[in-house]
Amino acid sequence: MRSLVISRWGPGRIDSGTALRNTQNMAALAQRGPVDVIIVDTAGDPPPAPPLEGARTLAHYAPPPPPHI
């Protein structure tokens, strides 16, 4: 089974409860097959995180900030 995870946090992040839960979900999926991750984060570059075996980050998308009117 191959999985795709679209998340605000990448694999290996454990600096918040949500990031830890997402990492645990990705690890569980990785036991069943490869996991591809797309990070969607408005804050910019994600902080470094240890790699998660079986998961790879395909893309990091940071949408531009909304225009000020």
Side-chain angles (χ1 to χ4, degrees):
M1 176 176 86
R2 184 174 204 93
S3 301
L4 173 66
V5 175
I6 301 172
S7 174
R8 181 175 175 192
W9 296 275
R13 293 271 311 270
I14 56 170
D15 56 342
S16 73
T18 305
L20 174 60
R21 186 169 44 254
N22 285 345
T23 294
Q24 291 170 338
N25 288 337
M26 290 179 219
L29 288 169
Q31 291 177 352
R32 298 197 171 269
V35 178
D36 295 329
V37 181
I38 296 175
I39 302 170
V40 178
D41 187 2
T42 58
D45 291 331
L52 180 63
E53 187 175 334
R56 68 180 178 145
T57 301
L58 291 179
H60 177 254
Y61 173 69
H68 295 303
I69 298 177

